[in-house]
Every structure is written in C-alpha cells, then in structure tokens.
Amino acid sequence: MNNYPTKVYLNGTIIDAESAKISVFDRGFLFGDGIYEVMVQINGHFFYEQAHLDRLAYCLKEIDIVFDLSTIQQEIKRLLEVAKLLSEDCLLYMQVTRGTAPRTHSYPTNTPPTFMMYAVPKVLPEINMINAAVVTSPDYRWTKCDIKMTSLLGNVMANEFAMNQQCFETVFERDGIVTEASHCNVFFVKDQVVYTHPANQFILNGITRQIVLELCIKLNIEAVEKGIQFSEITEMDEAFLTGTSTQIASIQQIDKHFYYQGNAIGSITRKLQQAYLELK
Ligand code: PDD
C-alpha cells in the first residue's frame, strides 16, 4: 500500500486504508454521484479552512445531499490524530456521495450519504517554481463546473491529454472564451491588468483563485473577472495557474506560444507568488 494514506475515515470510523471498503452499489461508484473537497494543512492550520468548508456545504446543497457538517472540524482532528498528522503539513481529501442503494437514476430516499476522508503528508514548496507548459482543448465538460463533483472524467481526460504531451495542464476553451484548466484556475495578465474567468457555472470558483483576487486588491493590481478570448492568449504578457496544491504556478508556454524564455517569470505573477507565500 505504498503511496496510499495509512488511515481512512469512513462513515465515522477510522480504519486502516486497506480495510476501507464501500459497496459496489455506492452511488459515487455507479454514477459519480458525489462531491469532494481538498485542503492543505500548513504550519498546524488548514489554509483557508472555512472557505473550503463553505464550498463543501455549497456543493452538498447544489446536489441536494443532506449531510451535517457541524462536527466536521472535530472529526478531521480525530482523523489527523490517528493518522499521526495532527501538526504535520498534509493534504486532506473529503468526499460525500449519495450513499448506497439499488441502482436507479432518481435519488433514493432515506439513504445515508457515504462520507470518506483521508490525509496524506504533503509539504508544499514556499513558492511553486515550475514554469509550466500547458496545452489547450475545447471544454467538453458539462455546464455545472461550479460543483466540485467526483464525476471528473472530463477533467481526467483533459489532464491525460496534457500528460501525453509532457505538459502540466490542459487549459479549456468554451465558445471562444478561456474558462479554466483540468485541476486549476487560469489567470492572464495584459498591460498590468489581471484577468480570470468570472465565477459562474463554467468554472470551479477556486479558493486559491479567490485569494489571488483578494491579493490583487491588497497589492493595488487591477483585476477583472472576465474570460479572455481564446484567440488572444498569445497576446497576453503573463499567464499563471492557481490551485490548492499548485498554489500559483507560472505558465511559460501555451501550445506553441512562449510567454517567457528560460526561467523568466512575469513581474505580476512573481508579486502574487510572494504575497501568497506571506499568507501562509
Ligand atoms: N482541484 N478548477 C478545477 C477544475 C479544480 O479541480 C481545482 C482544484 C481548481 C482550483 O481550486 P482550489 O484553488 O480551490 O484548489 C480549479 C483540486 C485541488 C483537485 O481536484 O484535487
């Protein structure tokens, strides 16, 4: 069980990972009928924990799963204690599915959700120094991308498309507008102005995305929540990705276009990376 977490929290019980089993009739397995959340603990505290828990609550509500989150912080602590990660830098994965029931598309009644979480050690670099190469693809996902759902086939396929070309990410384009990437949000900079897609049904409203927008205000950098035209990506001065474990990662190359040569990183991207580091 190398690279797996040691302990798994499953429906209130903390068990060894190899013993953590769910039914083949779990709707998460059959339909991808569930939502998830990922956050990181840094220096003994979950970074923007409340924002992550609020998004979890939002997603549960969006898909009509009734699940009580009032004791979740205690339960996370209990898991971290057993997993011996209480004060360690780690990544926490949480997932809630609509539970186990005979397979029908319609929601079952009186079925308790399945709640699973695990934590694994994860030390993030102070600043993500990668200068990523990314590719692009039409956004073939559905139109409720604001829900952090476990049905990630579109994202997984897009990520594989990038990996097959030795690239870090695939940036999506929908109706001529850049939306986000397979597991990150995407930002562009033109003439000192930062652009990112508005938080609507076409993107996940990343917590890191929201932090970056706050940092722009703090640093007096103009930021506009507007999706840029796909045809204009090569005219941008800088581009970067954001995400909980990606943090802020500069984009060096998009398809065949280079924003920078060598190790260069744009000045706005660097300012935001530095300011982000100071939040931790
Ligand atoms: N991915 N967009 C998509 C499609 C994502 O899957 C993610 C996060 C983000 C960035 O969100 P945040 O800043 O809140 O991490 C944007 C996570 C981490 C994952 O699937 O593992």
Side-chain angles (χ1 to χ4, degrees), residues 36 38 52 55 141 148 155 180-185 204 206-209 242-244:
Y36 74 105
V38 179
H52 284 278
R55 186 170 63 187
R141 301 172 303 159
K148 200 164 169 63
N155 305 62
E180 61 175 339
S182 78
H183 67 300
C184 296
N185 291 112
L204 181 78
I207 306 303
T208 323
R209 171 190 179 281
T242 64
T244 294

Short mmCIF file of all heavy atoms in Angstrom, two decimals, residues 36 38 52 55 141 148 155 180-185 204 206-209 242-244, ligand 1:
data_model
loop_
_atom_site.label_atom_id
_atom_site.label_comp_id
_atom_site.label_asym_id
_atom_site.label_seq_id
_atom_site.Cartn_x
_atom_site.Cartn_y
_atom_site.Cartn_z
N TYR A 36 -16.62 16.53 -3.50
CA TYR A 36 -15.40 16.36 -2.71
C TYR A 36 -14.79 17.72 -2.41
O TYR A 36 -15.20 18.75 -2.95
CB TYR A 36 -14.40 15.44 -3.43
CG TYR A 36 -13.70 16.09 -4.60
CD1 TYR A 36 -12.38 16.51 -4.51
CD2 TYR A 36 -14.36 16.29 -5.81
CE1 TYR A 36 -11.73 17.11 -5.59
CE2 TYR A 36 -13.73 16.89 -6.89
CZ TYR A 36 -12.41 17.30 -6.77
OH TYR A 36 -11.79 17.89 -7.83
N VAL A 38 -10.74 19.45 -1.15
CA VAL A 38 -9.31 19.22 -0.86
C VAL A 38 -8.76 20.47 -0.19
O VAL A 38 -8.95 21.58 -0.70
CB VAL A 38 -8.50 18.98 -2.17
CG1 VAL A 38 -7.02 18.78 -1.86
CG2 VAL A 38 -9.05 17.79 -2.95
N HIS A 52 -13.02 26.49 2.38
CA HIS A 52 -13.17 25.13 1.83
C HIS A 52 -14.43 24.46 2.39
O HIS A 52 -15.16 23.80 1.64
CB HIS A 52 -11.93 24.28 2.15
CG HIS A 52 -10.75 24.61 1.28
ND1 HIS A 52 -10.61 24.11 0.01
CD2 HIS A 52 -9.67 25.40 1.49
CE1 HIS A 52 -9.48 24.58 -0.53
NE2 HIS A 52 -8.90 25.37 0.36
N ARG A 55 -17.46 25.89 0.78
CA ARG A 55 -17.68 25.36 -0.57
C ARG A 55 -18.24 23.94 -0.52
O ARG A 55 -19.08 23.57 -1.33
CB ARG A 55 -16.38 25.41 -1.39
CG ARG A 55 -16.59 25.00 -2.84
CD ARG A 55 -15.39 25.28 -3.71
NE ARG A 55 -14.23 24.51 -3.30
CZ ARG A 55 -13.03 24.65 -3.81
NH1 ARG A 55 -12.80 25.57 -4.75
NH2 ARG A 55 -12.01 23.93 -3.39
N ARG A 141 -16.66 19.57 -20.94
CA ARG A 141 -17.34 19.19 -19.70
C ARG A 141 -18.78 19.72 -19.68
O ARG A 141 -19.19 20.46 -20.56
CB ARG A 141 -16.56 19.72 -18.50
CG ARG A 141 -15.13 19.21 -18.45
CD ARG A 141 -14.36 19.91 -17.37
NE ARG A 141 -14.38 21.35 -17.55
CZ ARG A 141 -14.16 22.24 -16.61
NH1 ARG A 141 -13.87 21.84 -15.37
NH2 ARG A 141 -14.21 23.54 -16.86
N LYS A 148 -18.07 20.96 -7.20
CA LYS A 148 -16.83 20.16 -7.11
C LYS A 148 -17.23 18.70 -6.99
O LYS A 148 -17.21 18.12 -5.91
CB LYS A 148 -15.99 20.65 -5.92
CG LYS A 148 -14.53 20.27 -6.00
CD LYS A 148 -13.73 21.10 -5.02
CE LYS A 148 -12.31 20.62 -4.83
NZ LYS A 148 -11.47 20.67 -6.02
N ASN A 155 -12.30 16.17 -16.72
CA ASN A 155 -11.05 16.75 -16.20
C ASN A 155 -9.90 15.75 -16.32
O ASN A 155 -8.78 16.10 -16.65
CB ASN A 155 -11.23 17.15 -14.73
CG ASN A 155 -12.40 18.09 -14.54
OD1 ASN A 155 -13.55 17.73 -14.81
ND2 ASN A 155 -12.12 19.30 -14.10
N GLU A 180 -11.08 27.50 -17.59
CA GLU A 180 -10.13 27.13 -16.52
C GLU A 180 -9.29 25.98 -17.05
O GLU A 180 -9.25 25.75 -18.26
CB GLU A 180 -10.89 26.76 -15.23
CG GLU A 180 -11.82 25.58 -15.38
CD GLU A 180 -12.47 25.14 -14.07
OE1 GLU A 180 -11.97 25.44 -12.98
OE2 GLU A 180 -13.52 24.45 -14.15
N ALA A 181 -8.62 25.26 -16.13
CA ALA A 181 -7.81 24.12 -16.57
C ALA A 181 -8.34 22.87 -15.88
O ALA A 181 -9.31 22.93 -15.12
CB ALA A 181 -6.35 24.38 -16.24
N SER A 182 -7.72 21.70 -16.14
CA SER A 182 -8.32 20.44 -15.68
C SER A 182 -8.38 20.34 -14.16
O SER A 182 -9.28 19.72 -13.62
CB SER A 182 -7.58 19.24 -16.27
OG SER A 182 -6.37 19.00 -15.59
N HIS A 183 -7.40 20.93 -13.46
CA HIS A 183 -7.46 20.92 -11.99
C HIS A 183 -6.95 22.23 -11.39
O HIS A 183 -6.54 22.27 -10.23
CB HIS A 183 -6.75 19.70 -11.39
CG HIS A 183 -5.26 19.67 -11.57
ND1 HIS A 183 -4.67 19.67 -12.80
CD2 HIS A 183 -4.26 19.63 -10.67
CE1 HIS A 183 -3.36 19.62 -12.64
NE2 HIS A 183 -3.08 19.61 -11.35
N CYS A 184 -7.02 23.29 -12.18
CA CYS A 184 -6.55 24.61 -11.71
C CYS A 184 -7.43 25.68 -12.34
O CYS A 184 -8.06 25.44 -13.37
CB CYS A 184 -5.13 24.89 -12.22
SG CYS A 184 -3.85 23.79 -11.62
N ASN A 185 -7.43 26.85 -11.76
CA ASN A 185 -7.96 28.03 -12.45
C ASN A 185 -6.82 28.68 -13.23
O ASN A 185 -5.65 28.43 -12.94
CB ASN A 185 -8.56 29.03 -11.44
CG ASN A 185 -9.83 28.49 -10.80
OD1 ASN A 185 -9.88 28.20 -9.60
ND2 ASN A 185 -10.88 28.35 -11.59
N LEU A 204 -14.86 26.08 -11.67
CA LEU A 204 -14.89 25.92 -10.21
C LEU A 204 -14.33 27.22 -9.63
O LEU A 204 -13.27 27.69 -10.07
CB LEU A 204 -14.01 24.74 -9.78
CG LEU A 204 -14.04 24.52 -8.28
CD1 LEU A 204 -15.33 23.81 -7.87
CD2 LEU A 204 -12.84 23.75 -7.79
N GLY A 206 -12.28 28.49 -7.50
CA GLY A 206 -11.17 28.02 -6.66
C GLY A 206 -10.94 28.92 -5.46
O GLY A 206 -11.08 30.14 -5.56
N ILE A 207 -10.60 28.29 -4.35
CA ILE A 207 -10.27 29.09 -3.16
C ILE A 207 -8.99 29.88 -3.44
O ILE A 207 -8.90 31.07 -3.09
CB ILE A 207 -10.10 28.18 -1.92
CG1 ILE A 207 -11.34 27.29 -1.70
CG2 ILE A 207 -9.80 29.03 -0.67
CD1 ILE A 207 -12.66 27.99 -1.56
N THR A 208 -8.04 29.26 -4.11
CA THR A 208 -6.79 29.97 -4.45
C THR A 208 -7.09 31.13 -5.40
O THR A 208 -6.50 32.21 -5.29
CB THR A 208 -5.79 28.99 -5.09
OG1 THR A 208 -5.92 27.72 -4.46
CG2 THR A 208 -4.36 29.50 -4.97
N ARG A 209 -8.01 30.90 -6.32
CA ARG A 209 -8.45 31.97 -7.23
C ARG A 209 -8.98 33.16 -6.43
O ARG A 209 -8.65 34.31 -6.69
CB ARG A 209 -9.55 31.40 -8.15
CG ARG A 209 -10.27 32.41 -9.01
CD ARG A 209 -11.51 31.79 -9.69
NE ARG A 209 -12.20 32.79 -10.49
CZ ARG A 209 -13.02 33.71 -9.99
NH1 ARG A 209 -13.30 33.73 -8.69
NH2 ARG A 209 -13.59 34.61 -10.78
N THR A 242 -3.73 28.55 -10.77
CA THR A 242 -3.87 28.54 -9.31
C THR A 242 -4.62 27.29 -8.87
O THR A 242 -5.49 26.79 -9.58
CB THR A 242 -4.65 29.78 -8.80
OG1 THR A 242 -5.99 29.73 -9.29
CG2 THR A 242 -3.99 31.08 -9.20
N GLY A 243 -4.27 26.82 -7.68
CA GLY A 243 -4.96 25.66 -7.10
C GLY A 243 -4.38 25.37 -5.73
O GLY A 243 -3.26 25.82 -5.42
N THR A 244 -5.11 24.60 -4.95
CA THR A 244 -4.70 24.35 -3.57
C THR A 244 -3.30 23.76 -3.48
O THR A 244 -2.48 24.21 -2.68
CB THR A 244 -5.73 23.43 -2.90
OG1 THR A 244 -6.95 24.17 -2.80
CG2 THR A 244 -5.30 22.99 -1.51
N1 PDD B 1 -8.56 20.88 -7.88
N2 PDD B 1 -10.59 24.18 -11.13
C1 PDD B 1 -10.72 22.85 -11.05
C2 PDD B 1 -11.43 22.13 -12.15
C3 PDD B 1 -10.19 22.15 -9.94
O1 PDD B 1 -10.33 20.81 -9.86
C4 PDD B 1 -9.49 22.86 -8.94
C5 PDD B 1 -8.94 22.18 -7.73
C6 PDD B 1 -9.38 24.26 -9.07
C7 PDD B 1 -8.70 25.09 -8.03
O2 PDD B 1 -9.46 25.16 -6.85
P1 PDD B 1 -8.79 25.42 -5.42
O3 PDD B 1 -7.97 26.65 -5.56
O4 PDD B 1 -9.93 25.60 -4.51
O5 PDD B 1 -7.95 24.20 -5.11
C8 PDD B 1 -9.96 24.88 -10.16
C9 PDD B 1 -8.34 20.08 -6.72
C10 PDD B 1 -7.31 20.55 -5.80
C11 PDD B 1 -8.31 18.60 -7.01
O6 PDD B 1 -9.17 18.19 -7.78
O7 PDD B 1 -7.51 17.85 -6.46
#
